[in-house]
Amino acid sequence: MTRRIHFGCALFCLLASHLCSAFYLPGLAPVSFCENGKGTEDCQTLIQLFVNRLDSVESVLPYEYDVFDFCKDEEERRPSENLGQVLFGERIESSPYKFNFNEEVKCKKVCQKKYAKDSQQDVTKLDFLKMGMQLNYQHHWIVDNMPVTWCYDVEDGQKYCNPGFPIGCLVGDDGRPKDACVINSDFHKKSTFYVFNHVDLKITYHNGDKDGWHGARLVAATMEPKSIEHTDENKLDCEKATPMEIPVKFENDIQVIYTYSVTFVENTEIKWASRWDYILVSMPHTNIQWFSIMNSLVIVLFLSGMVAMIMLRTLHKDIARYNQVDQEDAQEESGWKQVHGDVFRPPRKGMLLSVFVGQGTQIFIMTFITLFLACLGFLSPANRGALMTCSVVLWVLLGTPAGYVSARLYKTFGGEKWKSNVLLTALLCPGVVFADFFLMNLILWVEGSSAAIPFGTLVAILALWFGISVPLTFVGAYFGFKKPPIEQPVRTNQIPRQIPEQSFFTKPVPGIVMGGILPFGCIFIQLFFILNSIWSHQMYYMFGFLFLVFIILLITCSEATILLCYFHLCAEDYHWWWRSFLTSGFTAVYLFVYAVHYFYSKLQIIGAASTILYFGYTMIMVLIFFLFTGTIGFFACFWFVNKIYSVVKVD
């Protein structure tokens, strides 16, 4: 089975931008539908329902639709998937659910599945289906590039529209219903599974006659799952209340008949461009997002006030005192000027620091451009896989800034092993991420999950890395080494100055640990929603909030690092190079601690494989975030130190 992988995410988005004037772009032009007999080239009559992979909040392992013993399409078609969809494990295929536009369907049979207790193959199939129901695996159906949602009432009279619905549910040995079994009082038999073998589909459409275009466009697709025991396939009754029971112990032959009904409703108020709104509006926690922003802004204002006070008052007094005529008195003073001959002394392990900063620059630019495009609506949930595709493509193309920054910084440190520097910049951090990713992929492959990346895609990723990213890194490094070293405002003494005894708070470790607290305080609420979208399969669409938090994180990391850097220099400790990187980079450690807390308090994940996968992918996130935040702190501190030492007179 071949899958075509599209890499031109950004180019495609720009070309598609004229197709609609909505805030987000669904990635395709609107499709018009007409009644049977009135179809044209521009107006389809058949509505095809597609199915995606099934996932669960209790397991990290998604599975393809075909792995479960559901009804299959005889003429199966698989739309081409982009790189982001393949990496996220999306596997879209056509389903046997097909119907003509505006033709209502009543209790139509899709297929029949029989399970004989004497057949080992049937026992295996039924056991897998039971496992899916026990772990609350969810279907994800798609009509006209829009999710088929299951809408139900939640707390405070709110309606929640879930872009998935369960295979079935289980009533335990104690008679307590689990998950979706709570929706129906008929689901009460102990040690019994109830399979949802019938769906009532409701398709809402907007007629274009009044708006000057031909046909109708689909603006909503909702459904209600039901469990119905059909005893005779020739006399189907989808109104009867007897549910389809599957006992935990397989003692008798079982027959499951899958059916569906379709109704059509016209709605002229919902426009095609805003057809996702009813799903997104039902998502909870918008008020908490505003609280998150206010919380972050308070931290930023507090830090900004501290930094402003240091810059305007303390620094101004220091510079005035250091620049006074009577230099002999000034020399007796302690403070940051006393270390001017050592402050630009190259750090130990300068090669590694330059590599980290180069990689961090690449990640920073990638994140900024991706979030900016997402804010403009190019990477909305409707444009499947676009966010991941865009990130990967940008990372590959941004090898040049990484090579340039790393080489220029390494040359400033007086390094001469330029080949090692370039190779480490191109291979070290991406290599660690790829090795982790490859191990996680092996586990997914052993478990038979749809999230296992096909071998062809792995080869494509390696080709992108070694064929484009690595050469671009070499190009950047070439220009970086051709440039002269960054000119320092003061000369470095030949003999290093002795650092006086430090108090507890100016020692390296306490300063680094404290430095990550405030930046993490700005993002932890937003982090909850991001982790929810990854592990609890909720849609994330508030990229405006996320971009604002990104800017706040940038400011907070910079200010916290500058603040601590100033205190350390005042204590005559001039080892600021690594400390500036690690101070804001320590935010990643708090991210990891929060991810552990989230795993134990919010998720219901069970099984060794799922646990290993969760922490394996979390480690990739933590490494990327460490490089990202560390680089922000490093550049902020580098600018600050250069600035203050350029305005003092030194003999």
Side-chain angles (χ1 to χ4, degrees), residues 229-237 255 257:
E229 186 178 15
H230 299 293
T231 50
D232 186 354
E233 62 178 307
N234 298 315
K235 294 180 181 177
L236 298 172
D237 181 8
Q255 170 184 284
I257 298 173

Side-chain angles (χ1 to χ4, degrees), residues 120-152:
Q120 186 57 44
Q121 188 179 9
D122 287 355
V123 170
T124 305
K125 286 179 180 178
L126 194 62
D127 283 346
F128 198 78
L129 189 67
K130 287 177 182 176
M131 181 277 295
M133 289 188 277
Q134 187 170 356
L135 294 179
N136 196 27
Y137 269 84
Q138 306 261 326
H139 283 284
H140 295 281
W141 289 3
I142 302 162
V143 167
D144 189 30
N145 196 38
M146 184 173 55
V148 180
T149 56
W150 178 30
C151 296
Y152 49 87

